[in-house]
Amino acid sequence: DADVTQTPRNRITKTGKRIMLECSQTKGHDRMYWYRQDPGLGLRLIYYSFDVKDINKGEISDGYSVSRQAQAKFSLSLESAIPNQTALYFCATSDPRGLAGVEQFFGPGTRLTVL
Amino acid sequence: DAKTTQPPSMDCAEGRAANLPCNHSTISGNEYVYWYRQIHSQGPQYIIHGLKNNETNEMASLIITEDRKSSTLILPHATLRDTAVYYCIVRVVYTGNQFYFGTGTSLTVIP
């Protein structure tokens, strides 16, 4: 969905480096999410935020941190990257009101490789 | 926790109906059934959701058994562009509860 953008789209880094993945949305949604996907597996939730002042850990938050700088921006950081954090990362948004509340809108993904 | 069970893969001939099953035997009374799909490595896309009645939209139909322990997603006339991984998810709607995507069913539409 073009309303949810992620940067960078691809990144190769080395073990121990600090990495930030950024997500921006123009949908005006309050809720934002970060997922990771490993080959052959489904998506697993890392962190989610229901508004600028609300940050919650997901299923696999260890080794990650997030920052909700504004309603439209939600960043995911790997303070010291390790090889098993090599994965495809997705940002998503949702709006809890009305029918839109059932749907999450996903960005195009960031492919991260940690050597 | 895995709340749903889906076959890992299925094939379907182009133009035929694709019927994707999902078991959710421990579903609670206030949990909805959602279906998403993921084409190649793109972000997942919402398809349809339902509580207990059958639902239909422009993309698909959702058939939920009377005891709500299983459901079937139907793509009435599958095309090659429907080749994707399909995820069945149960969740209480309009809450902060997470979506657990599981591993889904990889559907291949064959020409």
Side-chain angles (χ1 to χ4, degrees):
Chain A
D1 192 308
D3 298 322
V4 184
T5 57
Q6 294 182 231
T7 56
R9 294 294 311 279
N10 290 281
R11 182 71 182 268
I12 299 173
T13 190
K14 294 182 178 179
T15 298
K17 293 292 186 180
R18 184 179 187 274
I19 295 297
M20 178 179 287
L21 309 183
E22 299 189 0
C23 177
S24 294
Q25 53 112 346
T26 58
K27 302 190 76 68
H29 290 171
D30 288 328
R31 298 185 175 186
M32 298 187 74
Y33 310 78
W34 274 105
Y35 292 88
R36 69 174 277 175
Q37 185 173 33
D38 296 280
L41 300 180
L43 281 73
R44 292 183 292 168
L45 185 64
I46 306 172
Y47 270 95
Y48 60 103
S49 169
F50 285 170
D51 64 40
V52 176
K53 298 180 180 180
D54 178 80
I55 302 291
N56 303 280
K57 292 183 178 181
E59 186 183 355
I60 51 163
S61 59
D62 288 348
Y64 301 94
S65 62
V66 291
S67 173
R68 186 78 184 269
Q69 303 95 320
Q71 186 204 38
K73 297 184 181 297
F74 193 35
S75 300
L76 176 72
S77 293
L78 289 68
E79 296 301 325
S80 180
I82 57 177
N84 74 3
Q85 291 178 313
T86 293
L88 185 55
Y89 290 84
F90 288 103
C91 174
T93 74
S94 71
D95 182 342
R97 298 165 293 180
L99 180 63
V102 307
E103 181 175 358
Q104 292 194 347
F105 297 84
F106 285 81
T110 294
R111 189 170 297 279
L112 177 66
T113 302
V114 183
L115 302 176
Chain B
D1 291 337
K3 293 187 174 183
T4 64
T5 304
Q6 299 176 253
S9 63
M10 293 181 63
D11 293 338
C12 177
E14 187 178 17
R16 304 295 295 269
N19 297 282
L20 292 90
C22 180
N23 288 321
H24 31 79
S25 59
T26 62
I27 192 170
S28 301
N30 61 349
E31 287 184 314
Y32 284 63
V33 179
Y34 295 76
W35 283 85
Y36 278 72
R37 74 180 183 183
Q38 185 177 23
I39 297 174
H40 195 42
S41 294
Q42 299 176 22
Q45 175 191 23
Y46 165 82
I47 302 173
I48 199 167
H49 76 287
L51 182 62
K52 56 182 178 181
N53 297 320
N54 297 338
E55 302 288 345
T56 296
N57 63 20
E58 65 278 5
M59 291 182 66
S61 294
L62 174 61
I63 308 298
I64 303 174
T65 58
E66 190 170 349
D67 63 8
R68 301 205 330 118
K69 293 185 177 182
S70 66
S71 61
T72 301
L73 177 74
I74 300 173
L75 308 178
H77 305 287
T79 70
L80 300 179
R81 289 177 298 178
D82 292 321
T83 293
V85 177
Y86 288 78
Y87 297 99
C88 170
I89 302 162
V90 294
R91 174 179 176 267
V92 178
V93 75
Y94 303 132
T95 71
N97 292 3
Q98 304 173 14
F99 282 93
Y100 291 99
F101 278 83
T103 55
T105 295
S106 179
L107 174 70
T108 301
V109 179
I110 302 170

